[in-house]
Amino acid sequence: MSDLHDKSTPLDAALAAQIHAARVRGAYSIETLSALAQVDPEAIVGLENGAPIADVGARDRVMNVLGLHPDGRRYRNRDR
């Protein structure tokens, strides 16, 4: 296995901005979003700041709650 899969990668700045905008648009506090996505609040802050992604699953759960698709497109979350 290569080291490429073991390293965290920085989140694209545009995607970080989309995550932040979607959280604000949905009127989610960091604490509420972290509870809904089952991640630590620090993970939300990191995603919004474009920090390296250590847990892709956490990123995907946050994006799912916000109705964002991992490729940056918005979609309707049918669970809500």
Side-chain angles (χ1 to χ4, degrees), residues 8-44:
S8 57
T9 58
L11 187 63
D12 180 74
L15 186 55
Q18 288 178 4
I19 290 171
H20 175 74
R23 181 178 65 80
V24 170
R25 200 173 34 253
Y28 293 108
S29 69
I30 289 174
E31 293 77 16
T32 299
L33 179 56
S34 68
L36 291 170
Q38 300 176 347
V39 300
D40 291 330
E42 293 81 18
I44 307 294

Side-chain angles (χ1 to χ4, degrees), residues 25-71:
R25 200 173 34 253
Y28 293 108
S29 69
I30 289 174
E31 293 77 16
T32 299
L33 179 56
S34 68
L36 291 170
Q38 300 176 347
V39 300
D40 291 330
E42 293 81 18
I44 307 294
V45 172
L47 286 171
E48 290 185 359
N49 289 328
I53 303 166
D55 184 353
V56 175
R59 181 208 58 198
D60 290 348
R61 288 191 306 276
V62 168
M63 293 180 72
N64 184 48
V65 170
L66 295 173
L68 297 173
H69 193 272
D71 67 4

